[in-house]
Amino acid sequence: MDPIQQAMLKKSHAAKLERRGKLISLFCISLIVVVVLAIFFFVASRGLATFFTNKVNLWRFLSQTTWSPAVKDASGQPQVGALPMIVGSFGVTLLSAVIATPFAVGAAIFMTEIAPNLGKKVLQPVIELLVGIPSVVYGFIGLSVVVPFIRNIFGGTGFGILAGTFVLFVMILPTVTSMTVDALKAVPRHYREASLALGGTRWQTISRVVLRAAMPGILTGIVFGMARAFGEALAVQMVIGNAALLPTNLISPASTLTSVLTSGIGNTVMGSLENNALWSLALLLLLMSLAFNLLIRWIGKKGEIK
Amino acid sequence: MQNYSLADTYIKPLDPAEHELALETKNLKVFYGDHEAIHGASLQFERYKITALIGASGSGKSTFLRSLNRMNDLVDKARVTGEILYRGLDINSDKIDVYEMRRHIGMVFQRPNPFAKSIYDNITFAPRRFGEKNKKVLDEMVETSLKQAALWDQVKDDLNQSGLALSGGQQQRLCIARAIAMKPDILLLDEPASALDPISTSQVEDTLLALKDHYTIIIVTHNMQQAARISDYTSFFYSGTAIEFDETRKIFTRPQIQATEDYVSGHFG
Amino acid sequence: MDAKKIDRLATTILYLIAGIIVIILASLLGYILVRGLPHISWHFLTAPSQSFKAGGGIGIQLFNSLYLLVLSMLISVPLALGAGIYLAEYARENKLTEIIRTAIEILSSLPSVVVGLFGFLVFVLQFGFGFSILSGALALTMFNLPLLTRNVEDSLRQVSFDQREAGLALGLSRWETVIHVIIPEALPGIITGMILGAGRVFGEAAALIYTAGQSAPALDFTNWNPLNIASPLNPLRPAETLAVHIWKINSEGIQPDAAAVSAGASAVLILAVLLFNVLARVIGNRIYKKMTAV
């Protein structure tokens, strides 16, 4: 046999390198998957203890309005009603999305349809900077500007859902805007040309053709923004007032799932009911994040079919 | 365009006693998923000759060529069956180390694809990876392969410039130089001149003719004049089938099969 | 109103919206810088913080932030490269890959407080690392990994498939081709993504309050033995970062100058993030020019 024949029948250095490289990269990716599974496992095992170990009724957990796990009510049941936090979380999330959407869509239209040059030179960097500002800085500004502002106008302490909404509005604005920009850019040129050729004004073209075609993408952006708002912890915690009460208005102290978690988890003993109840809130947070994910996929699928 | 029978083929056999074979395929089939793209091609390639594979686009000539050094392994759903005999071994078998095999069966692609490295590094990158550290040997290798690829005179003054700074024709000759620096037995070329202008094309053709003394060359081309100018043997592909294989002279003057005749006389393609 | 008038009105409103967004950013930055910059001095940047009286600095927090950043990047960059290479080069289109992609998507959309709590449970308690730089760096890695991985994958995919074929046809392995040919060509995108990731990590607090902790014990900056508890390099000491510090003094601080310290610290944080953004652009562009230099 000649040396080339022999070499071809042996495992070459390159083949060994390839094998090793493939294993290394497989290891890295597996690690990510394992981490995700571990997060679900650990948070679920803690969060479910409230219901399985402490025998708290799930429905009571979701519907009761008194949150003081250390105290038992008249019937001897621990008071772990998470409704105030659930309402608080959904409240700030929905309100901030409602305010952010017109701004984000407007800004995106401005950047893609009205003044692309100005958009690229001014608005694009502005949006990128807004993304980059850390959430504690938003919280600090909320605390030192927004809260006093609300206090001066509406009275009260200034803390509450309204303050949280304002802070989150600015925080999710860049997310929704940049995803809407992508959605608008993906609308084929000839849609616009066809509409303009038929005598439509620019605004008619935008509102009737472009926005409609980009709708799934815009919705995805809004849901992404909501997911971010729902999961944001510190900025909200700094301005919402942290009172685990069912909010009756927008300017009295309230709380969200994340705010109670950040202020509470360090002050409870691991394994106690107080602690388990907090992990149940974390589990709820995790499941909501999953729900937002599913919603985004569902919108994506719907969009494809059309 | 009429439909030709795929059963109507003429593959001229080469007598191994008279013609030393560098490569031979036996009943080579390529599948993409369930779709059979090549229907059992059995061709012989003589050593130190140029064999051209011609045919319309989509006829399977490139697919066939890319199977010869198992570049189709890269395609997710591709599967190749049959034998590819090289030095008495079936290199389409799992026992063969594809990386070692590709060092001896090099390939040049349709679009010039030099690395984003200097001319010098483009040529020496692979040899250095294979352990050649001697600067003198590497220098010599660069000079020889660039000379063989007829590029030396144009670039010798600045071997450190990026390979991407060259013109299209020069880039393609750099890719040829890069391939022959590995001293392969066989050089596979997949329409190497299709992206080039006529002047660069003729330069590449001259390069190939000069390389014939040292390498077995198999070239895919859609350009019949090119096949006629440079090749010794030609095989005509049609709809995934090797319809005819013969000496180039005969393919272009007295083809045995109607489809071949229609193609070379320009009736379709 | 006719269509033309509506068109004009809509355009005006859109300009207004764009203007408002610019004003929001300008006033945010203006507020932080006007309030914060006067407070920044050499003393402020280097002195330790004070819990009960005025005049505290952010020296230790600043160092902690930087050290944590370096450590978490040291862990996450190689992992992201490996994972990104897998997705761009080796992953076939099948169920397994779909599961992997879903996992990454989920991880990237998890609230950072959940990541922090998981880190608390696993690194701080289970592994016994305590509130420490190490726990914090691991939590930040989880927080940063999905985005970095996606960035690496995208950057690798930007490089033409031709280049991989070129390497393979020379008898090189896919791995060697990727490491020595594809990654250098994808470097501008990869570096830009890494720097932006670093900026994100630098400002992150929610993932850290229960992993790296909320205290900044005094450090002996002459002791560089990583095993000594007073050494700045000790990875097992608790380390409040700049971002956590801002949160801490605003939610429970009792320093008389809490507002001024927060403003100063926020200004430093913002300037750092701006710096990361500018660096990402400049370095990305420069490498790109160098790589494609003719």
Side-chain angles (χ1 to χ4, degrees):
Chain A
M1 250 199 244
D2 70 38
I4 293 181
Q5 280 172 318
Q6 275 174 357
M8 286 198 303
L9 288 169
K10 274 197 324 210
K11 206 171 175 67
S12 68
H13 182 59
K16 284 177 199 153
L17 281 175
E18 177 72 357
R19 206 184 137 73
R20 199 168 65 196
K22 222 173 180 169
L23 281 175
I24 291 173
S25 74
L26 188 63
F27 168 78
C28 294
I29 201 84
S30 316
L31 206 64
I32 297 183
V33 178
V34 168
V35 162
V36 174
L37 293 177
I39 289 177
F40 274 85
F41 172 77
F42 276 97
V43 174
S45 71
R46 285 276 154 191
L48 291 176
T50 315
F51 309 109
F52 290 105
T53 314
N54 306 104
K55 307 278 184 226
V56 172
N57 179 299
L58 175 63
W59 175 245
R60 283 176 62 93
F61 175 78
L62 292 175
S63 63
Q64 295 291 81
T65 57
T66 314
W67 178 265
S68 59
V71 186
K72 292 199 158 82
D73 66 7
S75 59
Q77 284 272 5
Q79 299 184 314
V80 282
L83 192 62
M85 284 76 91
I86 297 173
V87 171
S89 279
F90 276 101
V92 288
T93 302
L94 291 174
L95 286 176
S96 59
V98 165
I99 305 181
T101 301
F103 278 89
V105 174
I109 295 174
F110 183 84
M111 288 163 75
T112 54
E113 317 286 329
I114 307 287
N117 236 333
L118 211 57
K120 202 173 169 190
K121 279 198 195 114
V122 180
L123 225 45
Q124 183 71 32
V126 165
I127 298 287
E128 277 167 24
L129 282 176
L130 281 176
V131 181
I133 295 178
S135 67
V136 286
V137 174
Y138 280 115
F140 168 64
I141 292 177
L143 194 61
S144 46
V145 179
V146 177
V147 170
F149 180 76
I150 292 175
R151 187 187 309 146
N152 289 339
I153 292 192
F154 299 104
T157 58
F159 290 98
I161 289 188
L162 189 62
T165 300
F166 272 131
V167 170
L168 285 177
F169 152 63
V170 184
M171 292 184 75
I172 67 172
L173 184 63
T175 313
V176 187
T177 306
S178 53
M179 296 194 67
T180 304
V181 166
D182 292 344
L184 293 180
K185 276 187 182 159
V187 176
R189 242 192 122 68
H190 63 259
Y191 279 41
R192 298 177 177 88
E193 280 158 4
S195 165
L196 292 171
L198 289 171
T201 62
R202 185 163 64 175
W203 177 246
Q204 283 171 333
T205 304
I206 293 168
S207 61
R208 292 182 196 167
V209 180
V210 180
L211 281 184
R212 202 157 291 177
M215 199 42 86
I218 298 175
L219 284 178
T220 305
I222 296 172
V223 177
F224 256 103
M226 287 170 64
R228 188 169 177 209
F230 202 88
E232 174 53 43
L234 300 186
V236 176
Q237 192 256 0
M238 287 161 88
V239 300
I240 199 149
N242 299 308
L245 303 168
L246 195 66
T248 50
N249 59 50
L250 299 181
I251 51 166
S252 65
S255 60
T256 64
L257 296 171
T258 52
S259 77
V260 172
L261 270 174
T262 36
S263 44
I265 209 104
N267 303 326
T268 52
V269 180
M270 212 57 183
S272 65
L273 170 64
E274 293 95 311
N275 188 266
N276 287 345
L278 286 173
W279 284 105
S280 302
L281 297 184
L283 180 59
L284 202 56
L285 205 56
L286 195 62
L287 293 178
M288 271 314 293
S289 147
L290 212 56
F292 282 122
N293 241 301
L294 288 176
L295 189 57
I296 287 165
R297 277 174 178 243
W298 183 75
I299 295 173
K301 278 221 181 89
K302 279 256 155 173
E304 257 168 44
I305 296 164
K306 219 171 64 178
Chain B
M1 165 181 151
Q2 74 188 92
N3 266 312
Y4 300 98
S5 159
L6 297 182
D8 218 3
T9 65
Y10 175 77
I11 308 293
K12 180 185 175 163
L14 299 179
D15 181 359
E18 287 172 41
H19 308 275
E20 190 191 351
L21 296 183
L23 198 71
E24 181 177 9
T25 68
K26 287 187 175 164
N27 198 22
L28 189 85
K29 291 183 179 175
V30 181
F31 300 87
Y32 291 123
D34 294 331
H35 170 70
E36 187 176 299
I38 300 288
H39 315 297
S42 302
L43 293 176
Q44 296 166 307
F45 301 96
E46 187 176 345
R47 192 152 195 225
Y48 297 148
K49 299 282 183 207
I50 298 181
T51 305
L53 310 179
I54 61 170
S57 51
S59 60
K61 55 194 192 305
S62 282
T63 305
F64 176 79
L65 186 84
R66 293 169 60 90
S67 307
L68 297 181
N69 67 343
R70 295 190 38 195
M71 290 304 278
N72 277 333
D73 286 14
L74 285 176
V75 182
D76 236 359
K77 293 189 168 100
R79 193 161 50 86
V80 180
T81 66
E83 285 176 56
I84 305 169
L85 295 172
Y86 167 64
R87 290 179 181 256
L89 294 172
D90 174 17
I91 57 172
N92 194 32
S93 121
D94 288 342
K95 293 195 190 74
I96 295 295
D97 187 284
V98 285
Y99 308 105
E100 181 66 29
M101 177 271 286
R102 288 190 190 127
R103 291 174 65 169
H104 309 292
I105 306 181
M107 188 161 203
V108 174
F109 298 85
Q110 190 167 357
R111 264 185 34 202
N113 56 357
F115 299 130
K117 299 178 186 290
S118 70
I119 293 173
Y120 187 90
D121 286 345
N122 255 287
I123 293 171
T124 58
F125 170 62
R128 275 184 295 166
R129 292 297 312 160
F130 291 118
E132 183 56 70
K133 297 275 188 277
N134 189 327
K135 179 93 171 67
K136 245 178 117 176
V137 175
L138 290 171
D139 287 351
E140 220 174 272
M141 177 188 294
V142 170
E143 183 171 342
T144 325
S145 52
L146 282 174
K147 274 181 177 160
Q148 284 187 325
L151 191 58
W152 175 250
D153 290 332
Q154 297 160 51
V155 300
K156 65 180 177 210
D157 298 325
D158 190 5
L159 293 173
N160 285 324
Q161 68 173 313
S162 166
L164 296 172
L166 301 174
S167 74
Q170 289 174 322
Q171 285 189 12
Q172 194 60 299
R173 276 177 287 151
L174 176 60
C175 293
I176 295 174
R178 181 176 65 186
I180 57 187
M182 300 297 298
K183 302 205 171 60
D185 274 352
I186 302 169
L187 204 52
L188 309 174
L189 300 113
D190 188 0
E191 302 198 29
S194 71
L196 306 181
D197 59 85
I199 295 172
S200 306
T201 302
S202 80
Q203 286 171 335
V204 169
E205 284 177 13
D206 291 344
T207 305
L208 294 180
L209 283 171
L211 289 175
K212 203 171 95 169
D213 297 342
H214 308 280
Y215 304 95
T216 306
I217 293 175
I218 305 173
I219 177 172
V220 162
T221 177
H222 61 247
N223 177 338
M224 279 177 285
Q225 288 73 30
Q226 186 170 63
R229 273 195 300 269
I230 63 173
S231 69
D232 304 289
Y233 295 99
T234 296
S235 177
F236 169 64
F237 275 71
Y238 172 75
S239 189
T241 307
I243 295 284
E244 185 159 1
F245 172 83
D246 210 330
E247 286 164 36
T248 298
R249 186 167 47 82
K250 289 198 182 143
I251 290 275
F252 284 95
T253 53
R254 274 175 291 117
Q256 306 285 317
I257 307 291
Q258 186 64 41
T260 314
E261 182 167 353
D262 287 355
Y263 182 73
V264 297
S265 55
H267 283 210
F268 75 91
Chain C
M1 236 187 328
D2 61 32
K4 281 232 169 86
K5 272 192 186 144
I6 296 179
D7 188 72
R8 218 169 302 144
L9 182 69
T11 307
T12 315
I13 292 175
L14 289 171
Y15 266 91
L16 207 67
I17 286 177
I20 290 175
I21 293 177
V22 174
I23 290 171
I24 288 177
L25 176 82
S27 41
L28 278 177
L29 291 182
Y31 180 81
I32 292 291
L33 296 179
V34 167
R35 293 256 334 242
L37 283 182
H39 201 74
I40 297 177
S41 62
W42 182 245
H43 169 78
F44 181 68
L45 290 177
T46 54
S49 56
Q50 296 289 346
S51 302
F52 306 109
K53 51 182 195 193
I58 53 167
I60 294 177
Q61 282 80 6
L62 196 54
F63 177 82
N64 285 344
S65 285
L66 289 171
Y67 188 31
L68 203 51
L69 173 68
V70 170
L71 208 57
S72 78
M73 289 311 268
L74 278 181
I75 305 172
S76 50
V77 166
L79 286 175
L81 278 174
I85 288 175
Y86 180 84
L87 286 176
E89 310 292 336
Y90 293 123
R92 301 202 155 209
E93 266 181 52
N94 54 26
K95 263 263 155 335
L96 181 72
T97 307
E98 218 172 283
I99 293 172
I100 291 173
R101 287 189 189 283
T102 309
I104 292 179
E105 220 167 274
I106 289 174
L107 188 59
S108 74
S109 63
L110 278 189
S112 58
V113 57
V114 172
V115 173
L117 289 174
F118 171 76
F120 172 60
L121 208 54
V122 173
F123 306 132
V124 175
L125 301 176
Q126 208 90 358
F127 292 179
F129 296 158
F131 289 127
S132 64
I133 298 248
L134 185 59
S135 301
L138 291 172
L140 287 179
T141 299
M142 292 193 293
F143 161 81
N144 212 12
L145 206 46
L147 289 167
L148 288 186
T149 300
R150 209 177 297 161
N151 164 258
V152 171
E153 184 194 353
D154 290 346
S155 307
L156 292 178
R157 283 189 191 278
Q158 296 277 319
V159 179
S160 159
F161 196 75
D162 287 2
Q163 296 288 310
R164 293 160 176 92
E165 288 186 327
L168 285 161
L170 292 167
L172 295 165
S173 59
R174 180 84 174 247
W175 179 254
E176 288 169 285
T177 310
V178 168
I179 298 293
H180 298 283
V181 178
I182 310 297
I183 288 189
E185 287 185 43
L187 215 50
I190 294 178
I191 300 267
T192 305
M194 299 277 163
I195 299 177
L196 289 177
R200 218 163 35 229
V201 160
F202 200 76
E204 176 57 30
L208 290 178
I209 50 183
Y210 290 116
T211 50
Q214 306 169 31
S215 61
L219 298 178
D220 175 6
F221 278 96
T222 57
N223 185 341
W224 295 101
N225 173 8
L227 297 176
N228 191 300
I229 191 67
S231 164
L233 291 184
N234 188 325
L236 287 176
R237 66 183 172 83
E240 182 193 44
T241 65
L242 202 53
V244 173
H245 189 59
I246 295 174
W247 172 74
K248 180 98 172 151
I249 50 182
N250 274 300
S251 44
E252 43 196 77
I254 40 175
Q255 301 90 331
D257 60 347
V261 173
S262 316
S266 296
V268 173
L269 208 52
I270 293 260
L271 289 176
V273 170
L274 282 180
L275 185 72
F276 280 119
N277 266 294
V278 172
L279 277 183
R281 264 166 223 265
V282 173
I283 295 180
N285 277 339
R286 187 161 300 172
I287 297 178
Y288 181 76
K289 278 204 184 113
K290 205 172 157 192
M291 296 297 307
T292 53
V294 174

